Amino acid sequence: RVRYDAVSFARLRAGFATLPAAERIGLLADTYALAQSGRIAFIDYLSLVAGGTAGRSASEWRGIVERLEALDLALRGTPARPALRAWSRKVLAPELARLSWLPGAGDDSQTLSLRADLIERLGQFEDGPTLARARALEAERPDGAAIPPSLRGAVIATVAREADEATFERLRATLKAATRAEDAWQLRGALTRVRDPKLVARVQALALTDEWEPSRAAWMASAIGPRSGVAEPAYRFVEAEFGALSAKA
């Protein structure tokens, strides 16, 4: 990784938007890695992200979205997390608006993936308009038929993350009725993202029943901790029920 002195980095930051795409991607990756190692401050990475939003490629945006997700998880439980989320919403929401929610005929695979990434991360970062749009799409047809296929996983995950009791039961019923393996996979993943501690406990309790396939139930019980943000209670559940879950795995 290349570490620049303060003067050189300031020049790169000032002209960041004019650099070729490959150089921008490399500089972003290097700066983030240096911040991870503690050799520079994360604000240096964020300043690059903020400094050249126009004309970014989908692959450049996807790297940024991935790193903001990782940083958000690393800041869980700290006072810095709400500020990072607010900043991330301001950076990412305009790009989703530029792409629009509905896929276009000329969208390539990177663009389709970026749109889904933006929806899921903005939902994770509690962006009000994104949450409202996702809920409206899911409520229109709970089986996902109203949602473009490339967005279905992101929309359902966003809805599940903020689910109340009624939404949870609707998603649970949809999973029971799913006939396509991909739909079932997306719904199982979505249910492991619920944030409400009561619903986390529901998923854990259901994992001990025969409602889901044994191996799937064991995976959901273990995955819900890091995905839902309540890792400690989830860990204690797995520890207490390890024998029953192991028998299902």
Side-chain angles (χ1 to χ4, degrees), residues 57-82:
S57 65
S59 59
E60 187 176 347
W61 271 115
R62 293 192 72 193
I64 289 168
V65 172
E66 180 181 349
R67 294 184 190 106
L68 289 178
E69 177 193 15
L71 189 53
D72 177 74
L73 293 174
L75 292 177
R76 179 187 296 158
T78 71
R81 194 187 211 190

Side-chain angles (χ1 to χ4, degrees), residues 70-182:
L71 189 53
D72 177 74
L73 293 174
L75 292 177
R76 179 187 296 158
T78 71
R81 194 187 211 190
L84 175 69
R85 287 188 165 188
W87 184 90
S88 298
R89 291 193 297 267
K90 290 180 181 179
V91 171
L92 301 182
E95 180 62 13
L96 179 57
R98 187 190 70 80
L99 289 177
S100 82
W101 270 66
L102 296 179
D107 287 350
D108 59 18
S109 60
Q110 282 285 333
T111 301
L112 292 173
S113 296
L114 172 60
R115 183 182 287 107
D117 290 348
L118 287 167
I119 290 169
E120 187 159 0
R121 292 292 76 76
L122 282 166
Q124 177 183 334
F125 299 156
E126 302 173 328
D127 180 64
T130 300
L131 292 172
R133 183 72 180 271
R135 287 171 182 147
L137 279 172
E138 187 274 335
E140 186 176 341
R141 285 286 299 273
D143 61 3
I147 308 170
S150 62
L151 304 183
R152 196 167 293 154
V155 169
I156 293 172
T158 297
V159 170
R161 189 177 283 111
E162 304 296 331
D164 55 14
E165 178 75 21
T167 302
F168 177 87
E169 289 301 328
R170 186 169 68 246
L171 292 171
R172 179 186 171 194
T174 305
L175 174 56
K176 284 184 179 180
T179 57
R180 297 197 320 146
E182 182 180 3

Side-chain angles (χ1 to χ4, degrees), residues 202-210 212 214 217-218 220-221 237 245 248:
R202 289 286 306 284
V203 172
Q204 293 170 330
L206 287 168
L208 297 176
T209 71
D210 296 328
W212 301 321
M220 292 175 75
F237 173 83
L245 294 170
K248 287 176 170 284

